[in-house]
DNA sequence: CTGAAAGCGCTTACAG
DNA sequence: CTGAAAGCGCTTACAG
């Protein structure tokens, strides 16, 4: 650890935190605070290059860092985007967050995160807390569940924030009335079905989440719409609901088999985790994923390459969605609501080989 | 979206962002700003309950949120911990970050994150940027790589921050001179070897990261130390280096086989991802993980349950490490450096069955 | 192009 | 217990 010896003048005295301020820089450069402030701002007009050089030099020598809080109380907003994320351990969210962090860094913003545990009431609390920071924007990501009352409260809290000049952007599903970087679930699901059709699959079984989120709905809508268009049948008994986890997928297979899933030729799960669980259950039941019956997941986050055989899935360009959310937050929005969507990409792997006959 | 009709008095006028300030609350309650400030602070002494009630009521009615920036410029620090994380998509980091977010929320702090892409130079840049926010503490997590010069610059930048009154805490490996919430790698590795010994394994092969991080070193030290103590032999040829990824683990197996890994009875990889890759490679080479030759990973993050057979690993209590880092950041540190470590937990699964003979 | 001054929203001694 | 006043570190019209 390097210690600047000039810093502790009187060793006996309790060392108080000493921060270099604009005042110090101005003094060191022999100019006024106003000039120092302008010299440090690359966008400021009317600064002589000599003065600017002296100030910059003094700032570097002193290790000056502008106080973001003071700047924010002057300008009204913090150079920050606040991200509300339901669960950072979910690789789906982690991928979006990665995109947000990258783009925020490039745009000179810091990104702040708060966890919300999926619950809307939690999210309301967090929005309230975040409002204190006066960030340029709040980005909401991840599925949320809660009552209609809670949802209204959340929208009210967000509306308050926008009235204060804040910007709200959704990164994910298109379910709240704000600018949205859309995760292309519906189209991805449709594309998946079309790709499987081309491989020879004709009768899918579905494992869908047991709660009614926008994500679940869009996935199912995409599947059903493409199936209908292509003349594939999805009967009543071919859809089961399960918790959106690996274990949920595992448990769903039993119920599918009770209903005669052997007559189906491919199992589609709403997430990779569910699909991976389903694969384990199939194996435990004596079925071999990829021979006789296919399996496909959704999201293409992690683990799809590491099961045997590798899992077919759909890449939703999540990091791009996160980056796009930051860009939406940065550019002024007019009256109308904006949407940005990316192209999903179906990734065919070993669980869905070409089907003969 | 709920709009408060009292808010837009003159429809023709450009709606300017209007924020409720302490002044507004004080006026609404008929008290001074000073009194309003005290009434809003639960810890303030000498506030009559009548006054407090009126202020609290006014604040709620108006949707008042204190301006964290203004508060911070007054008090000198932001109620915030800044977390520097190399890559949020790495489930190892995500798990620590999850612990940080949870504990920060409970302590009334917001958590801010910045990505550093593993590079020390990036980290220096980010520390500098974060210093502007004057957070109570910075928490560093994840492995970092860089030259000795860079490392010195990083430590200098961090030292500057501590001189300003900031606190630095490491969540992870014990490689920088600050308070540390220690990931118990070394002990976890030792415990793993001891557990495998009890199952009958005698001659491990090692797949270790090809860079010389503290994490890699501690894992290897733990393995070697326990093996020596138990009289197990790890020969020259039984250690290969590989990139710390799934593909790295995959590639390592080929080299292990060239060197006659068949004579080994268990393959130990420094991370789960490497172990999972190794399993795929073994299968491709005609070996079956768990029969004839065992496999064990490390970290126990995700995916260990989803490969076939399930992967033996070591749970490093990462979320607790993250939470402990926040607690270290919150409690005053004396002169001496503090360390908190948790108990690792060996999780035996299908890849390391009891070995007969 | 540069400086003196006001102001951002808060907290906290200091007097009452 | 309450209020008037100073001050935190910055930015930005406003005069020169």
């Amino acid at each position: 650890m390097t210690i600047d010896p000039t810093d502790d003048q009187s060793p006996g005295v309790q060392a108080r935190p000493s921060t270099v301020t604009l005042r110090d820089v101005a003094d060191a450069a022999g100019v006024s605070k106003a000039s120092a402030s302008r010299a440090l701002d690359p966008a400021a007009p009317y600064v002589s290059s000599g003065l600017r050089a002296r100030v910059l030099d003094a700032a570097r020598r002193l290790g000056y860092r502008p106080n973001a809080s003071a700047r924010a109380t002057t300008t009204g907003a913090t150079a920050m985007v606040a991200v509300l994320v339901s669960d950072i351990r979910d690789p789906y969210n982690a991928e979006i967050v990665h995109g947000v962090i990258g783009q925020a860094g490039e745009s000179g913003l810091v990104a702040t995160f708060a966890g919300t545990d999926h619950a809307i009431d939690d999210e309301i609390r967090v929005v309230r807390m975040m409002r204190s920071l006066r960030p340029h924007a709040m980005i909401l990501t991840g599925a949320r569940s809660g009552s209609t009352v809670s949802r209204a409260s959340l929208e009210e809290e967000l509306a308050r924030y926008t009235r204060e000049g804040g910007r709200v952007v959704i990164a994910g599903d298109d379910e709240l009335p704000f600018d949205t970087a859309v995760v292309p679930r519906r189209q991805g699901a449709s594309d998946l079905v079309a790709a499987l059709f081309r491989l020879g699959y004709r009768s899918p079984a579905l494992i869908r989440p047991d709660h009614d989120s926008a994500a679940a709905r869009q996935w199912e809508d995409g599947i059903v719409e493409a199936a209908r268009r292509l003349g594939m049948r999805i009967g009543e008994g071919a859809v089961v609901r399960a918790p959106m986890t690996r274990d949920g997928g595992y448990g769903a297979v039993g119920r599918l088999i009770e209903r005669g899933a052997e007559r189906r030729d491919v199992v589609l799960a709403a997430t990779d985790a569910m699909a991976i669980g389903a694969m384990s259950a199939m194996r435990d039941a004596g079925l071999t994923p990829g021979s006789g019956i296919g399996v496909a997941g959704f999201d293409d986050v992690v683990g799809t390459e590491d099961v045997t055989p590798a899992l077919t899935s759909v890449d939703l360009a999540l990091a791009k969605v996160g980056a796009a959310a930051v860009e939406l937050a940065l550019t002024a929005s007019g009256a109308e609501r904006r949407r940005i969507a990316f192209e999903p990409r179906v990734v065919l792997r070993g669980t869905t080989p070409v089907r003969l006959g």
Side-chain angles (χ1 to χ4, degrees), chain A residues 313-347:
Chain A
S313 187
V314 180
D315 175 353
L316 295 174
L318 297 171
K320 284 184 191 167
V321 167
V326 174
E327 278 169 358
L328 278 175
L330 249 42
T331 55
S333 85
E336 84 295 358
R337 185 171 159 219
R338 296 174 299 168
R339 304 170 74 257
I340 298 185
F342 292 91
E343 280 296 306
R345 196 169 53 88
V346 176
V347 187

Side-chain angles (χ1 to χ4, degrees), chain A residues 190-191 193-202 230 348 354-355:
Chain A
S190 283
D191 290 358
V193 169
L196 294 175
F197 183 85
R198 262 174 265 125
L199 292 176
Y201 294 90
R202 291 294 179 269
L230 295 165
L348 297 170
V354 175
R355 183 168 174 80

Side-chain angles (χ1 to χ4, degrees), chain A residues 24-291:
Chain A
D24 301 320
V25 175
D27 289 351
V31 302
S32 71
K33 263 170 56 188
S35 290
S37 177
R38 279 188 290 257
L40 257 13
D41 175 2
Y46 308 131
V47 194
S48 72
S49 59
L51 185 148
R52 165 160 284 151
R54 264 182 300 147
V55 170
L56 253 28
D57 183 57
R60 186 158 21 74
R61 270 200 339 268
L62 299 175
Y64 172 69
R65 290 271 68 212
N67 182 324
S69 296
R71 177 176 286 174
T73 118
T74 291
T75 63
T78 313
M80 175 157 70
V81 290
V83 183
L84 276 51
V85 55
S86 50
D87 183 355
I88 193 70
R89 292 170 303 177
D90 182 340
Y92 168 90
N93 290 327
E95 189 71 26
I96 293 181
V97 163
H98 175 76
V100 169
I101 289 183
Q103 184 61 48
E106 281 189 21
S107 307
L109 298 172
V110 302
T112 289
F113 297 83
T116 62
D117 276 342
H118 292 283
I120 276 195
D121 291 323
D122 227 21
E123 209 156 35
I124 294 168
R125 192 180 53 70
V126 169
V127 170
R128 199 166 289 154
M129 188 167 116
M130 286 290 187
R131 272 215 288 137
S132 282
L133 293 173
R134 308 284 190 271
H136 268 312
M138 293 199 204
I139 297 178
L140 274 64
T141 180
R144 60 207 109 257
S145 56
S147 66
T148 311
V149 174
S150 292
R151 182 169 306 264
S153 307
L154 174 62
E155 289 191 25
E156 180 169 340
E157 196 65 36
L158 290 172
R160 250 194 240 275
Y161 170 65
T162 59
R163 264 178 277 144
E164 291 166 359
R167 192 120 58 215
V168 176
V169 178
I170 312 295
D173 301 297
D174 208 1
E175 57 174 344
L176 286 175
F178 298 100
D179 287 350
T180 302
V182 182
V183 173
R185 293 187 172 279
R186 189 185 168 117
Q187 193 194 332
S190 283
D191 290 358
L192 173 64
V193 169
L196 294 175
F197 183 85
R198 262 174 265 125
L199 292 176
Y201 294 90
R202 291 294 179 269
S203 56
L206 271 52
I207 304 178
R208 59 151 291 170
D210 58 2
H211 59 267
D212 194 38
S213 66
R217 222 157 35 234
Q218 286 175 17
W219 175 79
E220 191 168 15
D221 287 355
I223 300 279
V224 168
E225 182 266 320
R228 182 165 309 146
R229 180 161 43 81
L230 295 165
M232 296 161 83
R233 298 199 42 221
I234 305 177
E236 282 291 302
V239 182
V240 298
R241 289 168 169 258
M244 207 174 71
T245 62
R246 178 198 177 273
D247 291 347
Y250 189 98
V253 167
R255 282 175 286 144
L256 233 28
I257 290 177
E258 280 171 22
R259 303 184 190 180
E262 305 81 79
R263 294 190 307 258
R264 300 278 142 188
D265 58 19
V266 62
V267 174
L268 307 182
T271 70
D272 288 336
M274 293 174 95
I276 288 173
M279 286 175 67
S280 290
M282 288 162 75
R283 214 179 322 263
D284 288 353
L287 299 170
T288 305
S291 16

